[in-house]
Amino acid sequence: MENLIGLLVVAPLLGAAVLLCGGRRLDRGGPWIGTLFAAASLAIAAVLFAGLLGRDADDRTLDATAFSWVPVGGFRADVGFHLDQLSMTFVLLITGVGTLIHLYSVGYMAHDERRRRFFGYLNLFLAAMLLLVVADNYLLLYVGWEGVGLASYLLIGFWQHKPSAATAAKKAFIVNRVGDMGLSIAIMLMFTTFGTFAFGPVLERATEAGEGKLTAVGLMLLLAACGKSAQVPLQSWLGDAMEGPTPVSALIHAATMVTAGVYLITRSGAIFNAAPDAQTAVVTVGAVTLLFGAIVGCAKDDIKKALAGSTMSQIGYMILAAGLGPIGYVFAIMHLVTHGFFKAGLFLGAGSVMHGMNDEVDMRRYGGLRKYMPVTFVTFGLGYLAIIGFPGLSGFFSKDKIIEAAFAKGGTEGWILGGAALLGAAITAYYMTRVMLLTFFGEKRWQPDERGELPHPHESPRTMTIPMIVLAVGSVFAGGLFSINDVFLKWLEPVTGHAEGHSPVSALTVTAATMVVLVIGVAIAWAQYGRRPVPVTAPRGSLLTRAARRDLLQDDFNHVVLVRGGEHLTRSLVYVDHSLVDGVVNGTAASVGGLSGRMRKLQNGYARSYAVSMFGGAAVLIAATLLMRAV
Amino acid sequence: MSFPLLTLTAAVPAVGAVATAAVPAGRRTAAKWLALAVSLATLVLAAVQLVRFDPDAKGPFQLTESHAWIKDFGVRYELGVDGIAVVLIALAALLIPFIMLAGWHDADPQESGSSRWRPTQGFFALILMVEAMVVISFEATDVFLFYIFFEAMLIPMYFLIGGFGDRAGERTEGGAAAQRSYAAVKFLLYNLVGGLIMLAAVIGLYAVTADQLGTGTFSLQEIVQARAAGKLDLATTTERALFLGFFFAFAVKAPLWPLHTWLPNAMGEATAPVAVLITAVVDKVGTFAMLRFCLQLFPEASKWATPVIVVLSLISILYGALLAVGQRDIKRLVAYASISHFGFIVLGIFAMTSQGQSGATLYMVNHGISTAALMLVAGFLISRRGSRLIADYGGVQKVAPVLAGTFLVGGLATLSLPGLAPFVSEFLVLVGTFSRYPVAGAVATLGIVLAALYVLVLYQRTMTGPVKEEVRGMPDLRARELAVVAPLIALLLFLGIYPKPVTQILDPAVRHTMSQVHKADPKPDVNDVEAAK
Amino acid sequence: MNPVNYLYLAALLFTIGAAGVLIRRNAIVIFMCVELMLNACNLAFVTFSRLHGNLDGQIIAFFTMVVAAAEVVVGLAIIVTIFRSRHSASVDDAGLLKL
């Protein structure tokens, strides 16, 4: 049983190795080989899940140590795996959604000549992501953490011939590296504090360390989470990451990788529980991001970027919940799973729309597509209802719980957080309705593409629609199923712990308030985009709209401060190196050279002048000798 | 009298160098194969050393050889290896065949018919000569013997840099091919100055031992034992002065900021294989000697100098990385990246923790392999286009995907991606530093962000984007080139996932060094978790 | 006659020789002036030998003659070769080593 955990990671890794080293022979069969390896890891995950279910609730952990990785002096890092309910949840989500998206990509990437490599990268991503969630120590988690970063880099920049894609990939990796820096400092702090960075000892003995140290660790972990999960202030890469192929956006930048930050915080719950200041930072980041992402999502005309803003915002909810401590961990993960379903479904739907519309991404040039793409419309619509929290669907259950928990934080803080979460829900309803109306309703606003052809929207092939249908089913029922008898809560509680919050407002009031803001949001969107015709080119818009289109000026800030500043710094350093550091040395050389140049003039090549110096020298010597004698 | 394995390991390439140089002018190919065979034989000998070496044995040095050499001055021919030396010898012996294969055609005569001039024989003979000297520098436990070969190495290196630069017509930043001799002279002068200062310290050491022990000695072990027994007592100022003399030479070789400026010139102007020889093999002698001579001979002075050296290495890390970002020339970029990495190595050594020093020694190995991979692929790329300027490339991955892929792997190793070898060593250095100097550790961590920046910017500008006109039709890696790169990448992966075979040889040697400087690792705040269980 | 007068003569001859070496450009003349200086020295040596009453000075004078003979052989050969190749015996023209 334990050995299977290693195999879980190795299977997709093997797939990646086969596909990336296999050469052109595998070009044709590559997609299916990749899908096969993904399905294999799904099968292994299912076996492990069955195994865990067969045990008692308190005994549902599996540990395995594969081999000693870095044994140096007092420093020991093992390649060891730890599978408990929390990791299992992630494993199922990753392998499940991963396999579906492999299948979808078979259709989506059918005409790309480099699709073998695409599937190799996807498999590599699965391996790294699985390693991230089953690692039993922070250093191995870090390996997976950077591994998913690499896979994300390769996949965002998959269409490397486009400079924008290559730039976006680079940006994603570098911004993530800033977060990674946080994670590595956190690991170092753990090592100096606990002498180890294995989950077991660190989390068990977290309370024994000083609060200052724990706060530092917590803040560094939060920095890491901000990078990977695209939270303010490291969120700028996610919008650009939409340059990657749409299945990538669905898998990596919606369902799995970007939620790794939530995993990290939930996994390190023991540290955060003992460091209230760090928790405050976490909830602040979550609340700010959920509004930030939602506002950005309202202004974007690019369907994928609107969804990316939404992803940011939804992860903000999860981070917020995770920062609330034991009253929120379970709901963070529950929202993460349901979000995995509906957001992946929405992205796949968007991909399907783009597939039918000659890769057009501007929603203002869609319209009226519901008749042409019925399956896409229905699945997308269900995802839409789920994300805005329509009663009975997945998002309703998971998001509602988070809003309740936010109020239950208590005090002024509770009111602020709860209010932010409610406001976020309203904006979510608004921008998602906008996406829905612009894409599937209204009149056709189709425009000819670069070759002058009008798009002929059509339903996508079976390999693409089946995953969409499966995910739509998940978006509809997952939340409800999880809430029956609180199964999800009871499943996760042994790992994350759970505490009931004491909300100043009753659960019913919260639900009612959520419904009210939902209706308001939908109504405003309907008034703006449903009732009147939509212009094909975006109007200039208010100051806020224009700022939101530019990601609330965050990129401009980065550009001016970091990019320009960095350019100036490196340029001046190059100058310093050349003129100052090297200049001192070259200056010495030059002055010696100048001196010898002057001395050289004495050697004029005339025998008689040499003779003069000889005679002169002899005379001086004799004179000196005589003088010495005399003295 | 046991079998002189260490002497043989150094003698084989030395004799091979003479033999290669003697091959008649018309038989170029024979000379190449002869040199390659010799380097492979050396590799076998290095492997035998690794097998015969027993990590758990008592005593600092193994496979020792000792003969009187210059009796009047107490100079002895003393060889011996510890875990660090044996691993670094293996690294040098491993890289030389790849360097030769990569530079297989670098020294072919430009026009046929010049029968008296034999550049090919010279090129390969010089490489073997360097190998012999590097190996014996790693083996020498007599300070004077070490000094001789540490300095003599400069002669073949000078000719390799100055005599076999990049092919004429290559576009460089300055545009002038005559920069090569400037680079070679700069290399020579920097290292000579360092070496001469070290010579003064070597003589000073002799004078001190002669004064206090009656007979002067250069033997590392004798001096260390005499100090431990209290027979040799260096005055604080003397010890510090001697330490600085040694350290200066090694800091030039390493190279540490601000003594680094020879490296970008030398690496830029030399052919890619020679650049690898400089940074991956020869420079390692500098950092190795810090561990073996500075720390063991002058433990107190080392501790005294630590704060300054830590700061200098931090500057090296950040400064090297920032300058790498600002470079327009591919080879100079790799050179500045190397400066940054050498900063990490020196930082690890002087953090005085077992993680730091293990990390630093492992880093020497990993940096050798990763830089070799990146630089050699860069060399293949440059030889195809005849330009070192980044701006002259674009979209290479479209026409030469294997080349681009291997270049990316080399780059990822350079930015220490987990799963590849350099990550392990870099993290060890960081942890080791952090546990003693938290601020320094945190600042050094900035280096990993900058590393991502210069590697990915380089990759983006050269490999991605629309295919440039001049790049169109560029051939992908040939079989010989792939044979060079593939094993290096395999090694990077293997050591990234399973570094234990190397660390278990290094570990006892590091523990020995740590005990020499009387330093113990800082204890964690929460008491030992293992003990509590 | 006072032997010191020979020393004055030697000094005079030496000065004439030295002035010739410094002033003249013709290699042959310089050469002859060098010989003059050598012989002035010889004269001084012999005089000193006489003054001190031992043979040391005379022995050295013989050495000097042998060396001077050898010098003439080599020196004249060089001058002739230079004259053949450059058609000039002026020392100022032979400046090939000058940078």
Side-chain angles (χ1 to χ4, degrees), chain A residues 300-317:
Chain A
K300 294 284 185 187
D301 289 330
D302 178 329
I303 185 168
K304 285 179 74 182
K305 292 200 169 166
L307 288 178
S310 156
T311 304
M312 220 186 273
S313 161
Q314 297 300 314
I315 296 171
Y317 273 107

Side-chain angles (χ1 to χ4, degrees), chain B residues 195-219:
Chain B
L196 287 177
I197 292 176
M198 178 180 166
L199 179 64
V202 170
I203 294 169
L205 185 68
Y206 176 79
V208 173
T209 53
D211 188 34
Q212 297 199 12
L213 298 177
T215 53
T217 178
F218 289 109
S219 164

Side-chain angles (χ1 to χ4, degrees), chain A residues 67-75 113-114 117 139 142-143 146 150 153-154 160-161 163 166-167 170 173-174 177-178 181 184-185 187-189 191-195 201 205 208-209 213 569-570 573-574 577 581-582 585-586, chain B residues 182 186 190 258 260-261 319 322-323 336 355 358 397-398 401 408 412 415-418 423-424 427-428 430-431 434-435 445-446 448-449 452-453 456-457 459-460 464-466 496-500 507 524-527 529 532:
Chain A
F67 55 90
S68 174
W69 181 27
V70 192
V72 172
F75 180 95
E113 55 177 356
R114 291 163 70 238
R117 243 191 279 178
L139 195 64
Y142 186 72
V143 175
E146 288 238 319
L150 169 68
Y153 168 77
L154 293 170
Q160 286 178 320
H161 53 274
T167 309
K170 180 190 69 185
F173 195 93
I174 289 166
R177 265 264 154 148
V178 176
M181 199 177 93
S184 62
I185 292 180
I187 298 174
M188 291 180 226
L189 270 168
F191 181 76
T192 54
T193 314
F194 302 101
R205 300 164 65 94
E208 291 173 43
K213 278 268 169 91
L569 180 65
T570 53
L573 273 181
V574 169
D577 198 55
V581 181
D582 225 12
V585 178
N586 285 346
Chain B
Y182 169 75
K186 197 170 177 182
Y190 262 83
H260 64 274
T261 51
Y319 186 87
L322 280 170
L323 275 162
Y336 277 107
Q355 296 91 32
S358 297
Q397 60 88 24
K398 193 90 181 169
L408 182 62
L412 292 174
L415 64 76
S416 300
L417 189 86
F423 167 71
V424 177
F427 195 81
L428 280 173
L430 287 173
V431 160
F434 192 87
S435 55
T445 316
L446 272 175
I448 71 171
V449 179
L453 195 62
L456 295 185
V457 169
Y459 183 80
Q460 186 195 349
T464 68
I497 295 165
Y498 195 60
K500 199 174 161 193
D507 217 21
D525 301 0
V526 177
N527 278 331
V529 178

Side-chain angles (χ1 to χ4, degrees), chain A residues 241-259:
Chain A
M242 296 300 129
E243 286 290 342
T246 308
V248 173
S249 311
L251 177 61
I252 301 185
H253 306 118
T256 54
M257 183 189 87
V258 285
T259 57

Side-chain angles (χ1 to χ4, degrees), chain A residues 116-136:
Chain A
R116 170 178 62 87
R117 243 191 279 178
F118 180 79
F119 280 85
Y121 294 157
L122 273 189
N123 271 351
L124 180 67
F125 168 75
L126 277 192
M129 189 71 206
L130 287 169
L131 182 65
L132 195 164
V133 295
V134 298
D136 79 341

